[in-house]
mmCIF file of all heavy atoms in Angstrom:
data_model
loop_
_atom_site.group_PDB
_atom_site.id
_atom_site.type_symbol
_atom_site.label_atom_id
_atom_site.label_comp_id
_atom_site.label_asym_id
_atom_site.label_seq_id
_atom_site.Cartn_x
_atom_site.Cartn_y
_atom_site.Cartn_z
ATOM 1 N N TYR A 85 -0.032 -52.674 3.613
ATOM 2 C CA TYR A 85 -0.642 -52.840 4.940
ATOM 3 C C TYR A 85 0.252 -52.271 6.032
ATOM 4 O O TYR A 85 -0.225 -51.735 7.033
ATOM 5 C CB TYR A 85 -0.923 -54.329 5.210
ATOM 6 C CG TYR A 85 -2.020 -54.883 4.338
ATOM 7 C CD1 TYR A 85 -1.770 -55.943 3.468
ATOM 8 C CD2 TYR A 85 -3.295 -54.357 4.400
ATOM 9 C CE1 TYR A 85 -2.777 -56.457 2.662
ATOM 10 C CE2 TYR A 85 -4.308 -54.864 3.596
ATOM 11 C CZ TYR A 85 -4.044 -55.909 2.726
ATOM 12 O OH TYR A 85 -5.049 -56.402 1.938
ATOM 13 N N ASP A 108 -12.141 -33.957 -10.747
ATOM 14 C CA ASP A 108 -12.801 -32.656 -10.634
ATOM 15 C C ASP A 108 -13.184 -32.430 -9.182
ATOM 16 O O ASP A 108 -13.690 -33.346 -8.519
ATOM 17 C CB ASP A 108 -14.070 -32.592 -11.495
ATOM 18 C CG ASP A 108 -13.748 -32.582 -12.975
ATOM 19 O OD1 ASP A 108 -12.642 -32.148 -13.326
ATOM 20 O OD2 ASP A 108 -14.591 -33.031 -13.774
ATOM 21 N N GLY A 190 -2.644 -17.459 -14.066
ATOM 22 C CA GLY A 190 -1.246 -17.761 -13.821
ATOM 23 C C GLY A 190 -0.927 -19.213 -14.092
ATOM 24 O O GLY A 190 -1.822 -20.043 -14.315
ATOM 25 N N ASN A 224 6.509 -12.657 -11.716
ATOM 26 C CA ASN A 224 7.292 -13.806 -12.181
ATOM 27 C C ASN A 224 8.102 -14.356 -11.021
ATOM 28 O O ASN A 224 8.718 -13.593 -10.260
ATOM 29 C CB ASN A 224 8.235 -13.394 -13.310
ATOM 30 C CG ASN A 224 7.520 -13.277 -14.642
ATOM 31 O OD1 ASN A 224 6.979 -14.243 -15.162
ATOM 32 N ND2 ASN A 224 7.504 -12.069 -15.182
ATOM 33 N N SER A 269 12.147 -5.820 -8.264
ATOM 34 C CA SER A 269 12.894 -7.069 -8.411
ATOM 35 C C SER A 269 13.658 -7.330 -7.122
ATOM 36 O O SER A 269 14.097 -6.400 -6.450
ATOM 37 C CB SER A 269 13.863 -6.993 -9.603
ATOM 38 O OG SER A 269 14.829 -5.979 -9.397
ATOM 39 N N GLY A 270 13.793 -8.608 -6.786
ATOM 40 C CA GLY A 270 14.503 -8.956 -5.558
ATOM 41 C C GLY A 270 14.323 -10.409 -5.202
ATOM 42 O O GLY A 270 13.747 -11.204 -5.959
ATOM 43 N N ALA A 348 -9.534 0.924 4.849
ATOM 44 C CA ALA A 348 -9.842 -0.463 5.210
ATOM 45 C C ALA A 348 -8.594 -1.330 5.158
ATOM 46 O O ALA A 348 -8.496 -2.332 5.877
ATOM 47 C CB ALA A 348 -10.917 -1.021 4.279
ATOM 48 N N HIS A 411 -9.230 4.305 13.356
ATOM 49 C CA HIS A 411 -9.733 3.382 14.377
ATOM 50 C C HIS A 411 -11.161 2.931 14.111
ATOM 51 O O HIS A 411 -11.526 1.798 14.434
ATOM 52 C CB HIS A 411 -9.663 4.049 15.753
ATOM 53 C CG HIS A 411 -10.252 5.420 15.788
ATOM 54 N ND1 HIS A 411 -11.590 5.660 15.904
ATOM 55 C CD2 HIS A 411 -9.662 6.637 15.675
ATOM 56 C CE1 HIS A 411 -11.818 6.958 15.885
ATOM 57 N NE2 HIS A 411 -10.664 7.593 15.746
ATOM 58 N N LEU A 443 15.443 30.388 2.203
ATOM 59 C CA LEU A 443 14.408 30.488 1.173
ATOM 60 C C LEU A 443 14.979 30.641 -0.232
ATOM 61 O O LEU A 443 14.447 30.084 -1.187
ATOM 62 C CB LEU A 443 13.478 31.661 1.487
ATOM 63 C CG LEU A 443 12.528 31.452 2.671
ATOM 64 C CD1 LEU A 443 11.757 32.735 2.951
ATOM 65 C CD2 LEU A 443 11.564 30.312 2.387
ATOM 66 N N THR A 471 14.247 36.306 0.288
ATOM 67 C CA THR A 471 15.345 35.573 0.906
ATOM 68 C C THR A 471 15.140 35.565 2.416
ATOM 69 O O THR A 471 14.254 36.235 2.944
ATOM 70 C CB THR A 471 16.704 36.215 0.575
ATOM 71 O OG1 THR A 471 16.791 37.477 1.245
ATOM 72 C CG2 THR A 471 16.861 36.427 -0.919
ATOM 73 N N GLY A 484 -11.667 12.974 8.428
ATOM 74 C CA GLY A 484 -12.311 12.781 7.142
ATOM 75 C C GLY A 484 -11.850 11.520 6.456
ATOM 76 O O GLY A 484 -10.918 10.847 6.909
ATOM 77 N N VAL A 548 -11.479 26.768 8.013
ATOM 78 C CA VAL A 548 -11.262 28.171 7.639
ATOM 79 C C VAL A 548 -10.058 28.704 8.411
ATOM 80 O O VAL A 548 -10.064 28.721 9.646
ATOM 81 C CB VAL A 548 -12.502 29.033 7.924
ATOM 82 C CG1 VAL A 548 -12.221 30.490 7.567
ATOM 83 C CG2 VAL A 548 -13.704 28.512 7.133
ATOM 84 N N SER A 594 -4.669 52.131 -2.401
ATOM 85 C CA SER A 594 -5.908 51.341 -2.453
ATOM 86 C C SER A 594 -5.613 49.908 -2.051
ATOM 87 O O SER A 594 -4.627 49.317 -2.524
ATOM 88 C CB SER A 594 -6.493 51.374 -3.869
ATOM 89 O OG SER A 594 -7.606 50.511 -3.956
ATOM 90 N N GLY A 615 3.011 41.537 -10.024
ATOM 91 C CA GLY A 615 2.324 41.653 -8.745
ATOM 92 C C GLY A 615 1.578 40.385 -8.408
ATOM 93 O O GLY A 615 1.562 39.955 -7.256
ATOM 94 N N PRO A 629 -0.139 22.820 -2.008
ATOM 95 C CA PRO A 629 -0.138 21.698 -1.075
ATOM 96 C C PRO A 629 1.246 21.147 -0.795
ATOM 97 O O PRO A 629 1.478 20.546 0.238
ATOM 98 C CB PRO A 629 -1.009 20.653 -1.788
ATOM 99 C CG PRO A 629 -0.964 21.033 -3.233
ATOM 100 C CD PRO A 629 -0.843 22.513 -3.258
#
Side-chain angles (χ1 to χ4, degrees):
Y85 291 120
D108 290 334
N224 281 298
S269 63
H411 49 81
L443 288 175
T471 69
V548 178
S594 174

